[in-house]
Amino acid sequence: MKVFFESAALIEYREAALYSQQRFGLGEEFVQAVEAAIAVISSDPGRFQALEADIRMFRLPRFPYHIFFLHSPGEDSITVYAVAHHGRQPGYWRGRLRQMGHPE
């Protein structure tokens, strides 16, 4: 399965890894957790909680982040829309969907 990160989600991912490294020395563990999450998501994307507009959510273990993604079965792909800290600006990623032309 192909996995794509929207540019803003990739920036969030990198910033979260850098913050985790600088603040807690856990940058590599954060990256490994995201990579493991992507592998789990790819194995069965439909099993995760569906939100509006077919966006699904994966709660990252050990870290206070959620991965918001869209599974496109016809294309056999996953698009990550956000790597979001669960306590900061909840729901901000919904605006990102509108900006990208994805119906809510």
Side-chain angles (χ1 to χ4, degrees):
M1 180 161 312
K2 296 177 234 163
V3 178
F4 302 97
F5 278 77
E6 288 293 337
S7 58
L10 188 55
I11 290 168
E12 287 172 338
Y13 174 29
R14 290 177 178 160
E15 288 176 351
L18 183 60
Y19 174 77
S20 294
Q21 181 59 36
Q22 291 174 343
R23 180 87 165 133
F24 307 106
L26 297 173
E28 184 62 30
E29 287 90 343
F30 180 80
V31 169
Q32 290 172 356
V34 171
E35 289 175 358
I38 295 299
V40 169
I41 291 167
S42 295
S43 71
D44 187 9
R47 77 178 200 189
F48 298 99
Q49 179 182 356
L51 307 170
E52 68 269 359
D54 297 325
I55 298 296
R56 296 184 178 274
M57 179 182 71
F58 179 92
R59 291 184 174 114
L60 203 59
R62 189 172 177 218
F63 293 93
Y65 284 85
H66 296 150
I67 297 173
F68 293 95
F69 66 94
L70 175 68
H71 175 227
S72 301
E75 298 172 17
D76 197 30
S77 67
I78 293 169
T79 302
V80 176
Y81 280 97
V83 179
H85 190 285
H86 72 77
R88 298 181 193 145
Q89 301 176 341
Y92 76 90
W93 54 271
R94 289 178 178 95
R96 185 177 291 168
L97 293 177
R98 284 190 297 275
Q99 291 173 348
M100 294 175 186
H102 189 10
E104 289 188 75

Short mmCIF file of all heavy atoms in Angstrom, two decimals, residues 16-54:
data_model
loop_
_atom_site.label_atom_id
_atom_site.label_comp_id
_atom_site.label_asym_id
_atom_site.label_seq_id
_atom_site.Cartn_x
_atom_site.Cartn_y
_atom_site.Cartn_z
N ALA A 16 7.33 17.44 15.31
CA ALA A 16 7.04 16.65 16.52
C ALA A 16 8.23 15.77 16.87
O ALA A 16 8.58 15.63 18.05
CB ALA A 16 5.80 15.80 16.31
N ALA A 17 8.89 15.20 15.87
CA ALA A 17 10.08 14.38 16.13
C ALA A 17 11.20 15.23 16.70
O ALA A 17 11.87 14.84 17.66
CB ALA A 17 10.52 13.68 14.85
N LEU A 18 11.39 16.41 16.13
CA LEU A 18 12.44 17.31 16.61
C LEU A 18 12.14 17.77 18.04
O LEU A 18 13.02 17.76 18.90
CB LEU A 18 12.55 18.52 15.68
CG LEU A 18 13.65 19.52 16.00
CD1 LEU A 18 15.02 18.86 15.95
CD2 LEU A 18 13.59 20.68 15.02
N TYR A 19 10.89 18.14 18.31
CA TYR A 19 10.51 18.55 19.65
C TYR A 19 10.71 17.41 20.65
O TYR A 19 11.25 17.61 21.74
CB TYR A 19 9.04 19.01 19.67
CG TYR A 19 8.53 19.32 21.05
CD1 TYR A 19 8.88 20.51 21.68
CD2 TYR A 19 7.71 18.43 21.73
CE1 TYR A 19 8.41 20.80 22.96
CE2 TYR A 19 7.25 18.70 23.00
CZ TYR A 19 7.60 19.89 23.60
OH TYR A 19 7.14 20.16 24.87
N SER A 20 10.29 16.21 20.26
CA SER A 20 10.45 15.05 21.14
C SER A 20 11.92 14.79 21.45
O SER A 20 12.26 14.40 22.57
CB SER A 20 9.82 13.81 20.51
OG SER A 20 8.44 13.95 20.42
N GLN A 21 12.77 15.03 20.48
CA GLN A 21 14.20 14.82 20.68
C GLN A 21 14.78 15.89 21.59
O GLN A 21 15.49 15.60 22.55
CB GLN A 21 14.95 14.81 19.34
CG GLN A 21 16.43 14.56 19.50
CD GLN A 21 16.75 13.23 20.18
OE1 GLN A 21 16.07 12.23 19.99
NE2 GLN A 21 17.77 13.23 21.01
N GLN A 22 14.48 17.14 21.28
CA GLN A 22 15.05 18.25 22.06
C GLN A 22 14.53 18.28 23.49
O GLN A 22 15.28 18.55 24.41
CB GLN A 22 14.74 19.58 21.37
CG GLN A 22 15.49 19.76 20.07
CD GLN A 22 15.07 21.01 19.33
OE1 GLN A 22 14.02 21.59 19.59
NE2 GLN A 22 15.89 21.43 18.39
N ARG A 23 13.28 18.02 23.66
CA ARG A 23 12.66 18.15 24.99
C ARG A 23 12.84 16.90 25.85
O ARG A 23 13.08 17.02 27.04
CB ARG A 23 11.17 18.45 24.80
CG ARG A 23 10.40 18.61 26.05
CD ARG A 23 10.45 20.02 26.55
NE ARG A 23 9.42 20.16 27.54
CZ ARG A 23 9.63 20.73 28.72
NH1 ARG A 23 10.78 21.23 29.01
NH2 ARG A 23 8.66 20.81 29.58
N PHE A 24 12.72 15.74 25.25
CA PHE A 24 12.70 14.51 26.03
C PHE A 24 13.73 13.48 25.60
O PHE A 24 13.82 12.41 26.20
CB PHE A 24 11.30 13.86 25.95
CG PHE A 24 10.19 14.79 26.31
CD1 PHE A 24 9.36 15.31 25.32
CD2 PHE A 24 9.96 15.18 27.62
CE1 PHE A 24 8.33 16.18 25.64
CE2 PHE A 24 8.94 16.05 27.95
CZ PHE A 24 8.12 16.55 26.95
N GLY A 25 14.46 13.75 24.53
CA GLY A 25 15.42 12.77 24.02
C GLY A 25 14.76 11.56 23.40
O GLY A 25 15.33 10.48 23.35
N LEU A 26 13.53 11.74 22.89
CA LEU A 26 12.75 10.62 22.37
C LEU A 26 12.44 10.75 20.87
O LEU A 26 11.49 10.14 20.38
CB LEU A 26 11.43 10.50 23.13
CG LEU A 26 11.54 10.20 24.62
CD1 LEU A 26 10.18 10.27 25.29
CD2 LEU A 26 12.18 8.84 24.84
N GLY A 27 13.23 11.52 20.16
CA GLY A 27 12.95 11.74 18.74
C GLY A 27 12.94 10.47 17.93
O GLY A 27 12.02 10.24 17.13
N GLU A 28 13.94 9.62 18.10
CA GLU A 28 14.01 8.37 17.35
C GLU A 28 12.85 7.44 17.72
O GLU A 28 12.26 6.80 16.85
CB GLU A 28 15.34 7.67 17.59
CG GLU A 28 15.53 6.42 16.77
CD GLU A 28 15.53 6.65 15.26
OE1 GLU A 28 15.95 7.74 14.82
OE2 GLU A 28 15.09 5.73 14.53
N GLU A 29 12.49 7.41 18.99
CA GLU A 29 11.36 6.58 19.41
C GLU A 29 10.06 7.08 18.80
O GLU A 29 9.19 6.30 18.43
CB GLU A 29 11.25 6.54 20.94
CG GLU A 29 12.32 5.71 21.60
CD GLU A 29 13.58 6.51 21.94
OE1 GLU A 29 13.76 7.63 21.41
OE2 GLU A 29 14.39 6.01 22.72
N PHE A 30 9.93 8.41 18.68
CA PHE A 30 8.73 8.98 18.06
C PHE A 30 8.65 8.56 16.60
O PHE A 30 7.60 8.11 16.12
CB PHE A 30 8.73 10.50 18.19
CG PHE A 30 7.52 11.14 17.56
CD1 PHE A 30 6.31 11.17 18.24
CD2 PHE A 30 7.59 11.69 16.30
CE1 PHE A 30 5.19 11.74 17.66
CE2 PHE A 30 6.48 12.27 15.71
CZ PHE A 30 5.28 12.30 16.39
N VAL A 31 9.76 8.67 15.89
CA VAL A 31 9.80 8.27 14.48
C VAL A 31 9.45 6.79 14.34
O VAL A 31 8.65 6.41 13.47
CB VAL A 31 11.18 8.59 13.86
CG1 VAL A 31 11.33 7.95 12.48
CG2 VAL A 31 11.39 10.10 13.78
N GLN A 32 10.02 5.96 15.20
CA GLN A 32 9.71 4.52 15.15
C GLN A 32 8.23 4.26 15.43
O GLN A 32 7.62 3.38 14.82
CB GLN A 32 10.60 3.76 16.13
CG GLN A 32 12.04 3.72 15.71
CD GLN A 32 12.96 3.14 16.78
OE1 GLN A 32 12.53 2.83 17.89
NE2 GLN A 32 14.23 2.99 16.44
N ALA A 33 7.66 5.02 16.37
CA ALA A 33 6.24 4.85 16.69
C ALA A 33 5.36 5.23 15.50
O ALA A 33 4.37 4.54 15.21
CB ALA A 33 5.87 5.68 17.92
N VAL A 34 5.71 6.30 14.80
CA VAL A 34 4.93 6.71 13.62
C VAL A 34 5.08 5.68 12.52
O VAL A 34 4.10 5.29 11.88
CB VAL A 34 5.32 8.12 13.15
CG1 VAL A 34 4.66 8.45 11.81
CG2 VAL A 34 4.94 9.17 14.19
N GLU A 35 6.29 5.20 12.29
CA GLU A 35 6.51 4.18 11.26
C GLU A 35 5.73 2.90 11.57
O GLU A 35 5.13 2.30 10.68
CB GLU A 35 8.00 3.89 11.10
CG GLU A 35 8.76 5.02 10.45
CD GLU A 35 10.26 4.80 10.39
OE1 GLU A 35 10.76 3.76 10.88
OE2 GLU A 35 10.94 5.67 9.83
N ALA A 36 5.73 2.50 12.82
CA ALA A 36 4.96 1.32 13.23
C ALA A 36 3.47 1.57 13.04
O ALA A 36 2.73 0.68 12.60
CB ALA A 36 5.27 0.95 14.68
N ALA A 37 3.02 2.77 13.37
CA ALA A 37 1.60 3.11 13.20
C ALA A 37 1.21 3.05 11.73
O ALA A 37 0.15 2.50 11.39
CB ALA A 37 1.34 4.51 13.75
N ILE A 38 2.05 3.55 10.85
CA ILE A 38 1.76 3.52 9.42
C ILE A 38 1.67 2.07 8.94
O ILE A 38 0.79 1.72 8.14
CB ILE A 38 2.81 4.31 8.62
CG1 ILE A 38 2.76 5.81 8.99
CG2 ILE A 38 2.64 4.10 7.12
CD1 ILE A 38 1.45 6.50 8.70
N ALA A 39 2.54 1.21 9.45
CA ALA A 39 2.49 -0.21 9.08
C ALA A 39 1.17 -0.85 9.55
O ALA A 39 0.54 -1.61 8.80
CB ALA A 39 3.68 -0.96 9.68
N VAL A 40 0.75 -0.53 10.76
CA VAL A 40 -0.51 -1.08 11.29
C VAL A 40 -1.69 -0.53 10.50
O VAL A 40 -2.60 -1.29 10.12
CB VAL A 40 -0.64 -0.75 12.80
CG1 VAL A 40 -2.04 -1.07 13.31
CG2 VAL A 40 0.40 -1.49 13.60
N ILE A 41 -1.68 0.77 10.23
CA ILE A 41 -2.76 1.38 9.45
C ILE A 41 -2.84 0.72 8.08
O ILE A 41 -3.91 0.37 7.60
CB ILE A 41 -2.54 2.90 9.32
CG1 ILE A 41 -2.74 3.59 10.67
CG2 ILE A 41 -3.46 3.50 8.27
CD1 ILE A 41 -2.25 5.03 10.72
N SER A 42 -1.69 0.53 7.44
CA SER A 42 -1.65 -0.05 6.10
C SER A 42 -2.20 -1.47 6.06
O SER A 42 -2.77 -1.89 5.05
CB SER A 42 -0.21 -0.05 5.56
OG SER A 42 0.25 1.26 5.39
N SER A 43 -2.03 -2.21 7.14
CA SER A 43 -2.48 -3.60 7.16
C SER A 43 -4.00 -3.73 7.17
O SER A 43 -4.54 -4.69 6.64
CB SER A 43 -1.88 -4.34 8.35
OG SER A 43 -2.46 -3.90 9.56
N ASP A 44 -4.70 -2.75 7.75
CA ASP A 44 -6.16 -2.80 7.80
C ASP A 44 -6.72 -1.42 8.12
O ASP A 44 -7.17 -1.17 9.24
CB ASP A 44 -6.62 -3.82 8.85
CG ASP A 44 -8.12 -4.05 8.84
OD1 ASP A 44 -8.81 -3.56 7.91
OD2 ASP A 44 -8.61 -4.71 9.77
N PRO A 45 -6.68 -0.50 7.17
CA PRO A 45 -7.08 0.88 7.46
C PRO A 45 -8.53 1.05 7.87
O PRO A 45 -8.86 1.96 8.62
CB PRO A 45 -6.80 1.63 6.14
CG PRO A 45 -6.56 0.60 5.12
CD PRO A 45 -6.23 -0.68 5.80
N GLY A 46 -9.40 0.14 7.44
CA GLY A 46 -10.82 0.27 7.75
C GLY A 46 -11.17 0.00 9.20
O GLY A 46 -12.28 0.30 9.62
N ARG A 47 -10.25 -0.53 9.95
CA ARG A 47 -10.59 -0.88 11.34
C ARG A 47 -10.50 0.30 12.30
O ARG A 47 -10.88 0.18 13.45
CB ARG A 47 -9.71 -2.02 11.84
CG ARG A 47 -8.31 -1.60 12.22
CD ARG A 47 -7.54 -2.78 12.74
NE ARG A 47 -6.42 -2.31 13.53
CZ ARG A 47 -5.47 -3.07 13.98
NH1 ARG A 47 -5.50 -4.36 13.75
NH2 ARG A 47 -4.49 -2.58 14.67
N PHE A 48 -10.00 1.42 11.84
CA PHE A 48 -9.82 2.57 12.72
C PHE A 48 -11.03 3.49 12.68
O PHE A 48 -11.75 3.56 11.68
CB PHE A 48 -8.52 3.31 12.38
CG PHE A 48 -7.34 2.42 12.58
CD1 PHE A 48 -6.76 1.77 11.51
CD2 PHE A 48 -6.86 2.17 13.85
CE1 PHE A 48 -5.70 0.89 11.69
CE2 PHE A 48 -5.80 1.30 14.05
CZ PHE A 48 -5.23 0.66 12.97
N GLN A 49 -11.21 4.21 13.77
CA GLN A 49 -12.37 5.07 13.96
C GLN A 49 -12.53 6.04 12.79
O GLN A 49 -11.62 6.79 12.46
CB GLN A 49 -12.22 5.85 15.26
CG GLN A 49 -13.36 6.80 15.55
CD GLN A 49 -13.13 7.58 16.82
OE1 GLN A 49 -12.16 7.39 17.53
NE2 GLN A 49 -14.02 8.49 17.11
N ALA A 50 -13.70 6.00 12.17
CA ALA A 50 -14.01 6.91 11.07
C ALA A 50 -14.62 8.18 11.63
O ALA A 50 -15.50 8.15 12.48
CB ALA A 50 -14.97 6.25 10.10
N LEU A 51 -14.12 9.28 11.14
CA LEU A 51 -14.67 10.59 11.47
C LEU A 51 -15.39 11.10 10.23
O LEU A 51 -15.66 10.33 9.32
CB LEU A 51 -13.53 11.52 11.90
CG LEU A 51 -12.63 10.95 13.01
CD1 LEU A 51 -11.40 11.81 13.19
CD2 LEU A 51 -13.39 10.81 14.31
N GLU A 52 -15.66 12.38 10.16
CA GLU A 52 -16.35 12.89 8.96
C GLU A 52 -15.45 12.80 7.73
O GLU A 52 -14.24 12.70 7.83
CB GLU A 52 -16.82 14.33 9.19
CG GLU A 52 -15.71 15.33 9.31
CD GLU A 52 -15.27 15.54 10.73
OE1 GLU A 52 -15.79 14.96 11.68
OE2 GLU A 52 -14.34 16.33 10.89
N ALA A 53 -16.09 12.82 6.58
CA ALA A 53 -15.43 12.81 5.27
C ALA A 53 -14.51 11.60 5.10
O ALA A 53 -13.50 11.68 4.42
CB ALA A 53 -14.67 14.11 5.05
N ASP A 54 -14.86 10.49 5.72
CA ASP A 54 -14.08 9.25 5.60
C ASP A 54 -12.67 9.34 6.16
O ASP A 54 -11.84 8.47 5.91
CB ASP A 54 -14.01 8.76 4.15
CG ASP A 54 -15.38 8.41 3.61
OD1 ASP A 54 -16.21 7.90 4.38
OD2 ASP A 54 -15.61 8.64 2.41
#
